[in-house]
Amino acid sequence: MATQPQSAQGKPTASYDVVVVGAGFAGLYMLHRLRGLGLTARVYEQGGDVGGTWYWNRYPGARCDVESMQYSFSFDDELQQEWNWSERYAPQPEILRYANHVADRFDLRKDIQLDTRVESAVFDEHNNRWTVTTSGGSVSAHHVVLATGCLSNARTPEFRGLKDFEGQVYHTGHWPHEPVDFTGLRVGVIGTGSSAIQSIPVIAEQASQVFVFQRTANFSVPAHNAPLTEEERARWRANYAELRRRAREDMKNGIVQEVPDRGALDDPDEVRRRKYQARWTSGGLTFMGVYNNLALEQAANDTAANFIRDKIAEIVEDPETARLLQPNNHPVGSKRICVDTDYYATFNRPNVKLVDIRSHPIEQILPHAVRSGGKDYGVDALVLATGFDAMTGSVAKIDIRGRGGQTLNDKWAEGPRTYLGLMSAGFPNLFIITGPGSPSVLSNMIVSIEQHVDWIADCLAYMGDRGVETMEATHPAEDKWVAHVNEVAQGTLYPQANSWYMGANIPGKPQIFMPYIGGVGVYRRSATTSRRRIMRDLR
Ligand code: N01
């Protein structure tokens, strides 16, 4: 028999058709669709405003690595025709303004409760309803949608002595809302993932000294960010219907680009180099799309990895620093490739020093220094760019109990198990947007968010029309999907890296490749077929 969590003992004070957890892009669009279906909904958001990841990740240099004209909602044509993105890659403040604009434009705020944490969700099998307990009380809901985001649970490693550090400590994923001024300060940045790679060049312009503590060198390609011209925006807008269709149906990662028709070893070296150079010059994530086997075959991957290693050696003047910056323990793309502005060139500045903490791990944080390899690096402020408990971390913080009182954390103790990343067997009427087992973080998130929200909305509409009380994944369907997700991942080079995709950045977390690599087009077709079958079965 399930025990009620302490916090769930209060009587529900209100009743909704749907509770949505999180007011990032997923929560905002979900609420908009629920309104359109005439359902009552309440969105709970722990942050002080809407925007999700873009509300929290406001570190210097934060911007999206998917181009603005594609990293935007497609569900409303007037919105996509009217919003003026200023740059090829939108900076964080502009994306946050966009999220706020969406909330206002569609009058969403009245159903969003900010500064409110969801603590538990408990399913009552007698009346098929969830009791959702928040930091502000309990409510009852027929359905719960987790729009909690994949990278929203910032992680601070346990560095010995960190609590004794006397300067300010910042985490990139939990950056203060007040301006942070590093002028004249010695700053230590720990980590060299996307957040660090975006922030280090900007911090280096202000700080008197930057020490970059690197455990794993990462592959990064230049963004070549620039202001968007009216002509560029107009070109997208005129063709949005077709371009969005291609993003959804034809592209693996939901980003419109040329689709390669050959593998890296099908071209002679000089042609290959020319093609890599063309992508390097145009910039951005599509670098990995030059050939169709870069994520599949080591020898093919090596050609792309060597091209980037050569670029690093060309850009970075000090040979030892260049050597340390050249990744050597994972295939390119098996950790998310980074997109930067002047990252490698920043190491030519006299005030920037790379510290190799793979050879000499951080021993201790002292009140005014970081100690590594028996040497003390004096710092006045610390920036932890140490990542997230990705994909499952935010869900795990909520005490979710389904049939028979089983907790989702118990069920996922050996790794997340979902059907399509959307539902988990034993947890009726509980939906996850861009959950583990779906393309999510391997795709343009907004493409995946819109697809999931529409899928959920279609199911709820169907249930409402026919008076169906519950919908839930079956164990056999889930087992089959989990096996498929693993099988597809094992056929690629991705599992070779100790990445957050694998849960490898969290000590003790089960190492399972979490996102679905099959691609958004293939996935969309599976999800649509499944939804039709589910609806037939629900009748
Ligand atoms: O986090 P990360 P991130 N001691 O996990 C190091 C998205 N994103 O915030 O690799 C020393 O990638 C860790 O080292 P290692 C994007 O999907 C998008 O940078 O574990 N070092 C690594 O270098 C991205 O992939 C944008 O050896 C430690 C770093 O910290 C994801 O968010 C912008 C350590 C963490 O890198 C996460 O990126 C930014 C320890 N104990 C982020 N623990 C866009 O542009 C960790 N590290 C949209």
Side-chain angles (χ1 to χ4, degrees):
M1 186 67 193
T3 51
Q4 288 279 86
Q6 202 68 26
S7 53
Q9 287 170 355
K11 266 208 164 328
T13 53
S15 180
Y16 300 101
D17 292 319
V18 187
V19 156
V20 179
V21 188
F25 284 122
L28 292 176
Y29 180 44
M30 190 73 244
L31 176 57
H32 177 65
R33 285 297 319 265
L34 295 171
R35 288 259 191 84
L37 295 174
L39 296 173
T40 58
R42 190 77 174 155
V43 179
Y44 294 107
E45 165 57 57
Q46 68 174 321
D49 211 336
V50 301
T53 196
W54 299 106
Y55 174 85
W56 298 106
N57 285 270
R58 42 180 81 214
Y59 56 83
R63 63 176 72 242
C64 190
D65 58 6
V66 177
E67 297 187 20
S68 329
M69 296 306 289
Q70 304 208 52
Y71 190 81
S72 50
F73 281 125
S74 70
F75 70 84
D76 185 274
D77 194 47
E78 281 178 16
L79 172 65
Q80 67 183 3
Q81 294 296 333
E82 286 171 20
W83 182 266
N84 273 322
W85 292 108
S86 65
E87 295 176 59
R88 180 177 176 188
Y89 301 94
Q92 173 271 336
E94 188 170 341
I95 304 175
L96 191 56
R97 272 202 304 282
Y98 176 74
N100 276 275
H101 172 80
V102 169
D104 293 331
R105 185 176 183 121
F106 298 99
D107 191 24
L108 300 175
R109 289 188 192 275
K110 59 180 186 249
D111 292 323
I112 300 174
Q113 189 169 319
L114 301 170
D115 296 311
T116 306
R117 261 200 62 71
V118 170
E119 287 162 0
S120 67
V122 179
F123 187 68
D124 180 342
E125 293 183 60
H126 301 296
N127 62 11
N128 290 328
R129 292 190 71 84
W130 288 91
T131 298
V132 178
T133 299
T134 73
S135 46
S138 293
V139 298
S140 161
H142 193 183
H143 305 274
V144 173
V145 178
L146 301 175
T148 38
C150 296
L151 293 159
S152 44
N153 195 15
R155 170 181 170 261
T156 297
E158 288 178 9
F159 294 114
R160 187 155 79 94
L162 181 60
K163 65 176 184 350
D164 302 322
F165 184 68
E166 289 187 6
Q168 289 293 329
V169 178
Y170 305 97
H171 194 294
T172 48
H174 212 122
W175 201 260
H177 288 232
E178 308 72 45
V180 175
D181 186 2
F182 290 118
T183 306
L185 298 184
R186 297 166 306 166
V187 181
V189 180
I190 303 180
T192 48
S194 297
S195 304
I197 282 177
Q198 287 186 334
S199 59
I200 286 164
V202 184
I203 295 172
E205 282 173 13
Q206 270 192 354
S208 63
Q209 173 73 52
V210 180
F211 292 111
V212 177
F213 296 93
Q214 173 186 276
R215 189 166 69 179
T216 306
N218 244 316
F219 290 97
S220 189
V221 294
H224 296 307
N225 187 36
L228 272 175
T229 63
E230 196 43 57
E231 292 70 44
E232 285 167 321
R233 284 194 290 259
R235 217 170 28 246
W236 273 93
R237 285 172 176 152
N239 297 300
Y240 252 143
E242 173 58 10
L243 292 168
R244 299 292 203 185
R245 187 204 62 73
R246 286 183 61 204
R248 288 183 200 116
E249 294 174 15
D250 301 345
M251 299 294 139
K252 237 184 138 159
N253 62 2
I255 299 172
V256 177
Q257 58 192 292
E258 254 175 68
V259 180
D261 61 355
R262 57 208 284 119
L265 305 178
D266 297 334
D267 278 335
D269 188 48
E270 116 208 20
V271 174
R272 210 166 35 227
R273 288 201 149 259
R274 221 174 27 244
K275 287 188 180 175
Y276 287 139
Q277 181 60 49
R279 293 283 172 121
W280 184 269
T281 305
S282 64
L285 282 178
T286 61
F287 183 86
M288 287 303 291
V290 180
Y291 291 111
N292 59 18
N293 59 349
L294 294 183
L296 303 175
E297 288 173 37
Q298 188 63 57
N301 189 282
D302 287 344
T303 64
N306 286 336
F307 178 87
I308 300 181
R309 288 189 198 108
D310 289 351
K311 285 287 176 196
I312 297 169
E314 270 171 38
I315 299 168
V316 179
E317 289 159 7
D318 174 51
E320 178 56 10
T321 305
R323 189 187 64 77
L324 288 173
L325 285 169
Q326 289 171 324
N328 61 9
N329 68 355
H330 63 281
V332 57
S334 59
K335 284 180 174 226
R336 186 175 171 112
I337 198 165
C338 305
V339 178
D340 72 273
T341 298
D342 296 336
Y343 176 63
Y344 293 121
T346 293
F347 290 91
N348 296 334
R349 295 177 66 111
N351 67 334
V352 177
K353 178 163 176 50
L354 186 67
V355 182
D356 171 18
I357 56 169
R358 175 158 300 273
S359 311
H360 304 290
I362 292 175
E363 291 152 35
Q364 189 177 355
I365 312 275
L366 303 163
H368 301 283
V370 176
R371 180 170 294 166
S372 143
K375 204 170 159 202
D376 293 349
Y377 297 88
V379 292
D380 307 304
L382 269 179
V383 173
L384 304 179
T386 45
F388 302 86
D389 184 356
M391 303 208 70
T392 53
S394 296
V395 175
K397 276 182 161 173
I398 306 170
D399 183 3
I400 298 173
R401 294 170 186 238
R403 288 200 190 280
Q406 185 186 29
T407 70
L408 194 61
N409 283 333
D410 276 349
K411 182 177 170 191
W412 286 9
E414 303 300 320
R417 298 187 69 78
T418 68
Y419 178 55
L420 295 168
L422 273 157
M423 301 200 81
S424 196
F427 296 81
N429 297 354
L430 177 80
F431 299 90
I432 312 164
I433 298 179
T434 64
S438 74
S440 61
V441 291
L442 295 179
S443 69
N444 176 349
M445 282 301 277
I446 300 204
V447 170
S448 288
I449 283 169
E450 287 191 328
Q451 187 230 341
H452 270 187
V453 168
D454 289 340
W455 194 95
I456 296 166
D458 288 351
C459 290
L460 297 190
Y462 187 92
M463 292 172 76
D465 286 349
R466 286 159 182 78
V468 175
E469 274 287 300
T470 57
M471 168 173 167
E472 122 187 54
T474 63
H475 286 282
E478 180 174 283
D479 292 346
K480 208 168 146 195
W481 184 254
V482 169
H484 174 60
V485 171
N486 286 330
E487 190 189 329
V488 176
Q490 293 310 323
T492 72
L493 302 176
Y494 279 92
Q496 290 187 23
N498 287 328
S499 66
W500 58 260
Y501 295 143
M502 293 285 297
N505 63 329
I506 305 295
K509 189 166 172 170
Q511 295 206 17
I512 285 183
F513 195 83
M514 292 185 282
Y516 176 57
I517 302 186
V520 297
V522 171
Y523 173 81
R524 176 178 291 265
R525 287 186 278 284
S526 293
T528 305
T529 310
S530 305
R531 196 194 58 225
R532 291 200 188 109
R533 200 180 47 242
I534 291 163
M535 288 177 175
R536 217 176 37 234
D537 294 349
L538 282 175
R539 226 178 270 159

